[in-house]
Amino acid sequence: MSGESASSTCEATTILPPVPDEIVRYPITGEEYGGRLFMFGKPDAENVVLLCGGYPDDQQVFVEMAARLAKEGNCFCGVACLVGYDSAADDRPWTSYRSQGYNFSEMTWSLRNAAKALREQSCNPKAKLTTIFHDWGSFIGAFYTHEALEEKDTLLSPDKIIYIDVMPMKLHPSCTQLKPAKRTTKEFITVHTYRYVFMAAHLIQRFLSQYLAAFFFLFVLTILSILGLVPSHPKDTARFTEKKVPLDRLIYMAFPYYHLAVQGAGKSYLPRLEETPVLYLYGADKSVQFHDDNLVNHLQEQKGCEVVAVNDTGHHLFLQKPDLCLSAIKRFILETRTTIKS
């Protein structure tokens, strides 16, 4: 792993996001030091926290939370992003990524290397590891945590897991599976149409035309919005506008939707909850939820696990109500194992 100091110029009239204490490089698929891990806090902290977001975010989406966890919770935090999602424009513009994107195995391997880099930077071998995942980060994070736990990798196996607005749809294979909750016709159409629009746009841009993909993407999403078939909250729509991400990049980053259709959900499921507690936070006011209600009810019944519905928020609830989300996350991380374990 290699490290580099972080610096920033602050203007009096501009409020800038927190600056990492250090930026550590780690291997990603295809590049020896292509990943960037934003570090916050003291390496000797008793709690180590790995954060990873999803579509369409790079590390910046979690820097505020990581900085506050480091300061208010005395945690040593590392913020990663999914391979292909880092928008660094300095030495590695996003256009250098593979046009076909990355499959789930490659994304999982890269995220696991981020966790390894975080552990290597920590100087407390007894520190507990908590992982915080959002959106596609939750999906790939479930692959990573399953691998680490099944291999009994004590260094990389999380002691606790926090999923934000998206979590695996299945229990661990050792558990009796729950009957999926019934969805209304509108919910079913919304969830599946949304996924396939993103997948189709990515494939059109990859194999046919960037401009045709842009037209298709905007036209279909406009129609879906008019029909009320978009799952996001109005505040989430505003965030896409604020980010000002080029449309071709938004469409490129939809490659996980393609791999979901081809590979399926695979081993993306919850851990053994009696061994690894889970906190699930979600935005209560989206038109369609991304979780299964029966699974959420089951999670609430498990000792040490917790579910928090945050009102008046959507998909990016931790940005829309940061204080409330951070309070729940700190409480969950700082509880001792003896408190949450039977």
Side-chain angles (χ1 to χ4, degrees):
M1 309 297 171
S2 62
E4 61 188 53
S5 60
S7 62
S8 177
T9 301
C10 184
E11 300 178 3
T13 56
T14 304
I15 299 176
L16 296 175
V19 177
D21 297 323
E22 187 177 9
I23 298 176
V24 174
R25 298 280 182 166
Y26 63 89
I28 61 172
T29 302
E31 294 190 47
E32 185 176 3
Y33 295 113
R36 298 187 306 158
L37 190 67
F38 287 20
M39 312 294 299
F40 296 86
K42 298 178 180 180
D44 62 351
E46 294 182 358
N47 288 285
V48 173
V49 182
L50 174 68
L51 304 93
C52 182
Y55 186 89
D57 298 308
D58 60 8
Q59 297 91 339
Q60 291 296 331
V61 74
F62 270 136
V63 295
E64 182 72 38
M65 179 183 290
R68 292 186 62 182
L69 279 174
K71 182 179 180 180
E72 302 172 22
N74 191 28
C75 297
F76 184 50
C77 301
V79 185
C81 72
L82 296 178
V83 61
Y85 281 34
D86 194 333
S87 57
D90 48 359
D91 59 338
R92 230 172 44 80
W94 73 269
T95 49
S96 69
Y97 286 119
R98 296 184 307 184
S99 61
Q100 70 270 33
Y102 301 82
N103 63 37
F104 292 156
S105 295
E106 293 165 337
M107 297 171 78
T108 302
W109 184 81
S110 300
L111 181 59
R112 188 163 179 166
N113 284 333
K116 188 180 298 183
L118 176 62
R119 277 300 205 182
E120 289 178 354
Q121 294 299 310
S122 170
C123 61
N124 185 348
K126 296 182 179 180
K128 302 298 183 182
L129 174 63
T130 298
T131 54
I132 302 178
F133 301 126
H134 175 244
D135 192 83
W136 276 109
S138 296
F139 191 87
I140 300 303
F143 279 121
Y144 145 61
T145 54
H146 169 73
E147 286 184 2
L149 289 167
E150 292 302 302
E151 294 170 10
K152 301 187 185 301
D153 188 331
T154 56
L155 187 68
L156 300 183
S157 295
D159 292 88
K160 303 176 184 179
I161 304 174
I162 299 172
Y163 292 114
I164 301 180
D165 210 57
V166 174
M167 72 172 181
M169 300 291 280
K170 294 181 180 180
L171 293 171
H172 190 272
S174 63
C175 304
T176 301
Q177 296 301 309
L178 301 171
K179 184 177 181 180
K182 289 185 177 180
R183 285 186 177 270
T184 65
T185 302
K186 179 181 178 181
E187 288 173 336
F188 180 86
I189 293 174
T190 298
V191 170
H192 287 82
T193 302
Y194 189 77
R195 290 176 181 174
Y196 284 108
V197 167
F198 277 76
M199 180 190 74
H202 170 77
L203 293 175
I204 292 171
Q205 177 168 284
R206 177 177 163 188
F207 292 109
L208 297 177
S209 164
Q210 170 185 328
Y211 302 104
L212 181 60
F215 172 78
F216 168 82
F217 188 71
L218 293 175
F219 176 76
V220 176
L221 284 185
T222 299
I223 298 300
L224 292 178
S225 297
I226 293 173
L227 297 176
L229 297 177
V230 176
S232 59
H233 187 277
K235 291 182 179 179
D236 296 318
T237 304
R239 169 164 171 74
F240 276 87
T241 304
E242 293 168 2
K243 278 181 64 68
K244 299 179 180 179
V245 179
L247 185 57
D248 59 338
R249 174 151 173 71
L250 283 175
I251 294 174
Y252 166 76
M253 287 191 289
F255 61 80
Y257 291 96
Y258 163 72
H259 290 293
L260 179 62
V262 173
Q263 296 180 242
K267 295 181 179 180
S268 182
Y269 36 66
L270 291 168
R272 295 181 178 90
L273 298 174
E274 68 278 7
E275 298 175 2
T276 310
V278 167
L279 166 64
Y280 178 53
L281 302 98
Y282 67 95
D285 295 326
K286 299 188 303 297
S287 61
V288 173
Q289 295 296 342
F290 299 125
H291 58 248
D292 181 273
D293 288 339
N294 288 345
L295 196 59
V296 168
N297 293 335
H298 176 79
L299 192 63
Q300 288 177 309
E301 297 170 354
Q302 305 309 301
K303 186 175 179 62
C305 297
E306 189 177 354
V307 175
V308 178
V310 183
N311 293 324
D312 194 31
T313 63
H315 190 48
H316 283 84
L317 58 148
F318 59 98
L319 299 178
Q320 295 154 8
K321 286 197 175 180
D323 292 340
L324 192 155
C325 292
L326 188 67
S327 177
I329 288 170
K330 284 193 300 182
R331 182 178 68 249
F332 184 73
I333 291 175
L334 299 179
E335 283 180 330
T336 62
R337 288 299 290 264
T338 52
T339 300
I340 60 177
K341 287 292 194 178
S342 56

